[in-house]
């Protein structure tokens, strides 16, 4: 099932009630993104979500406006916009529609009269116009028809019985009340020598202060559940994670808050041609429930986190990983790795970086950060401890990510790959991170700057 997404810019003027001069107008600009869960069909009504930026000269500039779009050019002969935004601490609604008529198709499709409301009270009115000369080409080129994935479908086991494979379900989250980080790792290992596959994993708690604690479960024979992971009394199913291991016990519910995110190219998950691939069925989720260990119980309420999946031949030669909740619905996922394949293991780390901001994912294609354009402009990573970095740029945007994993908040674990080789990961669910995003507008200008204090989820590993 595919959806529809596009961007649109409109320019115009607005007259605010109560201005000193009744005829005084202000310039207004809307930069919007529309996303629908189905293909756009002009002869039917299509509902879409709106997000973007509203600017009213000298009065409002809200980059997080949200609303709804009703596209009914034939069935109802209208295209209606409803957007909620803030101006000087006031919550306002822009309500208007294009009245589509065959007698004047161009004008009726490009002119949007609207009214501003604060609650039920009118506070202004104006007209927006779609700039055909400068806006038509970007508008048409922005149309995308993405596949609409549900996270649950990606939780089913991928393993097809082939030897030398590993499959992982993992969840990381942060308790907003105590700052405790939690890591639940569930893994299927099918040895390269063809022996029976096993299921195993671990759970870990990372308090802001105090000792990092963990416990393992398994290995036990793999039972091939229809969905998710189930072994040794531990389950990771759509919307639910439960289990006991050592001194730990947990029972959590998960609510996904957004579509799946493919860190690697989407095709690499559907057709496993690469040594390994990673994706997030729930790139943003909230968790309710409790996790207990020793004499401590952490009660979770609206805890932010994510669930991710890995499938492949085993771990990379060296790798670094970051999941960062940036606030406001924004999220950053990074995997930087050096392959074990002959020839490839001498190359610098390949970086897969996906920043989902205001509902849009950058870079647009997952391959862009790893291989650049014709080999140029590839993102770069310097992997080490206690700190590592990732930097990169596209034509009009660049990013710098600095991650710090303090030794006292980092857990070191050993395990075995399908070929029997030893792997070591050093994980922190209370890492620090600084993310700086800049855009080019005649010169590099700040676009966003995030500082995460003990709320980033990060790992560095090696074989």
């Amino acid at each position: 099932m595919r959806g529809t997404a596009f961007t649109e810019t409109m320019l115009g003027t607005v007259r605010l009630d109560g201005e000193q001069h009744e005829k005084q107008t202000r310039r207004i600009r809307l930069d919007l993104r529309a996303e629908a869960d189905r293909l756009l069909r002009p002869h039917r009504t299509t509902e879409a979500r709106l997000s973007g930026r509203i600017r009213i000269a000298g009065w409002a500039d809200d980059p997080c406006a949200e609303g709804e779009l009703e596209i009914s050019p034939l069935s109802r002969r209208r295209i209606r916009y409803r957007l909620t935004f803030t101006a000087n601490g006031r919550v306002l609604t822009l309500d208007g529609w294009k009245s589509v008529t065959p007698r004047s198709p161009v004008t009726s499709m490009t002119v949007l009269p609207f009214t501003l409301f604060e609650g039920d009270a009118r506070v202004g009115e104006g007209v927006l116009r779609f700039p055909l000369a400068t806006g038509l080409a970007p508008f048409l080129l922005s149309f995308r028809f993405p596949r609409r994935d549900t996270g649950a479908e990606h939780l089913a086991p991928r393993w097809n019985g082939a030897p030398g494979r590993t499959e992982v379900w993992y969840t990381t989250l942060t308790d907003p009340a105590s700052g405790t980080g939690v890591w639940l790792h569930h893994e299927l290992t099918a040895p390269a020598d063809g022996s029976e596959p096993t299921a195993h994993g671990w759970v870990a708690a990372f308090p802001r202060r105090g000792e990092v604690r963990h416990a393992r479960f398994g290995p036990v024979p793999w039972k091939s559940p229809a969905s998710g992971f189930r072994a040794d009394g531990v389950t990771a199913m759509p919307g639910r994670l439960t289990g006991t291991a050592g001194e730990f016990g947990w029972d959590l519910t998960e609510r996904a808050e957004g579509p799946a995110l493919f860190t690697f190219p989407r095709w690499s998950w559907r057709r496993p041609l690469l040594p390994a691939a990673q994706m997030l069925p729930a790139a943003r989720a909230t968790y309710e429930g409790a996790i207990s260990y020793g004499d401590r119980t952490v009660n979770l309420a609206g805890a932010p986190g994510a669930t991710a999946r890995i499938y492949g031949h085993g771990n990379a030669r060296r790798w670094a990983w970051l999941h960062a909740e940036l606030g406001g619905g924004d999220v950053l996922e990074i995997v930087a790795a050096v392959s074990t394949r002959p020839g490839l293991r001498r190359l610098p780390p390949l970086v897969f970086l996906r920043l989902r901001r205001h509902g849009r994912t950058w870079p647009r294609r997952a391959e862009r950060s790893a291989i650049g354009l014709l080999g140029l402009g590839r993102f770069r990573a310097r992997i080490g401890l206690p700190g590592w970095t990732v930097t990169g740029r596209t034509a009009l945007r660049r990013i710098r990510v600095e991650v710090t994993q303090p030794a006292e908040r980092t857990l070191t674990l050993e395990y075995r790959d399908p070929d029997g080789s030893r792997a070591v990961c050093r994980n922190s669910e209370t890492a620090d991170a600084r993310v700086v995003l800049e855009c080019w507008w005649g010169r590099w200008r700040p676009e966003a700057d995030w500082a995460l204090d003990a709320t980033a989820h990060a790992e560095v590993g090696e074989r």
Side-chain angles (χ1 to χ4, degrees), residues 53-101:
R53 185 176 186 180
I54 294 183
R55 283 174 278 187
I56 301 176
W59 197 66
D61 185 354
D62 186 354
C64 300
E66 294 183 341
E68 305 85 33
L69 174 64
E70 176 197 313
I71 308 173
S72 308
L74 298 180
S75 61
R76 297 182 180 178
R77 293 190 175 182
R78 72 179 187 183
I79 303 175
R80 185 172 185 175
Y81 296 73
R82 282 183 59 86
L83 279 163
T84 300
F85 65 102
T86 59
N88 297 320
R90 301 163 64 185
V91 179
L92 305 177
T93 300
L94 183 152
D95 188 357
W97 59 82
K98 302 172 182 176
S99 300
V100 181
T101 170

Side-chain angles (χ1 to χ4, degrees), residues 108-122:
S108 63
M109 290 284 288
T110 58
V111 176
L112 174 67
F114 67 89
T115 304
L116 290 181
F117 293 93
E118 184 175 14
D120 295 328
R122 198 193 86 154

Side-chain angles (χ1 to χ4, degrees), residues 158-160 165-168 269 272 275-277 309-313:
R158 300 292 309 281
W159 184 58
N160 60 4
R165 299 291 191 275
T166 187
E167 186 166 1
V168 177
W269 183 254
R309 298 275 279 111
I310 300 172
Y311 182 66
H313 295 264

Side-chain angles (χ1 to χ4, degrees), residues 296-350:
R296 183 175 180 184
T297 298
V298 180
N299 293 303
L300 303 173
T307 287
R309 298 275 279 111
I310 300 172
Y311 182 66
H313 295 264
N315 289 286
R317 184 179 181 87
R318 287 190 301 130
W319 72 89
W321 161 80
L322 172 71
H323 176 80
E325 293 277 347
L326 304 176
D330 301 340
V331 64
L332 174 65
E333 189 80 11
I334 297 176
V335 174
V338 178
S339 174
T340 59
R341 300 286 176 87
L344 295 178
R345 59 190 177 197
R346 296 185 179 275
L347 297 177
L350 293 180

Side-chain angles (χ1 to χ4, degrees), residues 242-305:
T242 63
T244 59
E247 64 175 348
F248 281 80
W250 64 96
D251 188 344
L252 308 177
T253 58
E254 176 186 77
R255 185 180 68 182
E257 298 185 347
L261 178 65
F262 290 84
T263 317
F264 285 56
R266 185 187 295 262
W267 58 260
S268 69
W269 183 254
R270 298 187 179 277
R271 294 181 292 277
L273 303 177
L274 298 180
Q278 186 252 24
M279 59 83 60
L280 294 88
R284 289 181 54 245
T286 55
Y287 297 84
E288 311 281 338
I291 177 170
S292 60
Y293 58 99
D295 58 356
R296 183 175 180 184
T297 298
V298 180
N299 293 303
L300 303 173

Side-chain angles (χ1 to χ4, degrees), residues 53-240:
R53 185 176 186 180
I54 294 183
R55 283 174 278 187
I56 301 176
W59 197 66
D61 185 354
D62 186 354
C64 300
E66 294 183 341
E68 305 85 33
L69 174 64
E70 176 197 313
I71 308 173
S72 308
L74 298 180
S75 61
R76 297 182 180 178
R77 293 190 175 182
R78 72 179 187 183
I79 303 175
R80 185 172 185 175
Y81 296 73
R82 282 183 59 86
L83 279 163
T84 300
F85 65 102
T86 59
N88 297 320
R90 301 163 64 185
V91 179
L92 305 177
T93 300
L94 183 152
D95 188 357
W97 59 82
K98 302 172 182 176
S99 300
V100 181
T101 170
R103 291 177 298 178
S104 182
V106 175
T107 300
S108 63
M109 290 284 288
T110 58
V111 176
L112 174 67
F114 67 89
T115 304
L116 290 181
F117 293 93
E118 184 175 14
D120 295 328
R122 198 193 86 154
V123 296
E125 63 179 9
V127 177
L128 285 156
R129 291 177 173 83
F130 178 79
L132 282 172
T134 59
L136 183 59
F139 172 71
L140 295 175
L141 291 172
S142 73
F143 269 82
R144 298 290 183 271
F145 304 96
R147 191 184 303 274
R148 312 307 297 183
D149 294 291
T150 61
E153 71 180 271
H154 298 296
L155 291 175
R158 300 292 309 281
W159 184 58
N160 60 4
R165 299 291 191 275
T166 187
E167 186 166 1
V168 177
W169 297 252
Y170 69 88
T171 297
T172 59
L173 59 96
T174 300
D175 173 34
S178 66
T180 300
V182 176
W183 180 23
L184 297 168
H185 180 101
H186 317 81
E187 182 167 336
L188 155 68
T189 302
D193 61 9
S195 56
E196 290 299 314
T198 59
H200 68 102
W202 50 83
V203 55
F206 298 74
R208 278 195 175 238
R209 294 176 181 82
E211 179 186 4
V212 177
R213 307 270 282 274
H214 79 284
R216 296 179 183 262
F217 52 88
V220 296
W222 174 248
K223 299 297 184 181
S224 300
S227 181
F229 177 97
R230 187 187 300 274
D232 199 22
V234 175
T235 65
M237 298 294 173
R240 189 80 181 274

Side-chain angles (χ1 to χ4, degrees), residues 16 27 132 305 339 437:
L16 302 174
R27 293 182 181 274
L132 282 172
S339 174
L437 184 68

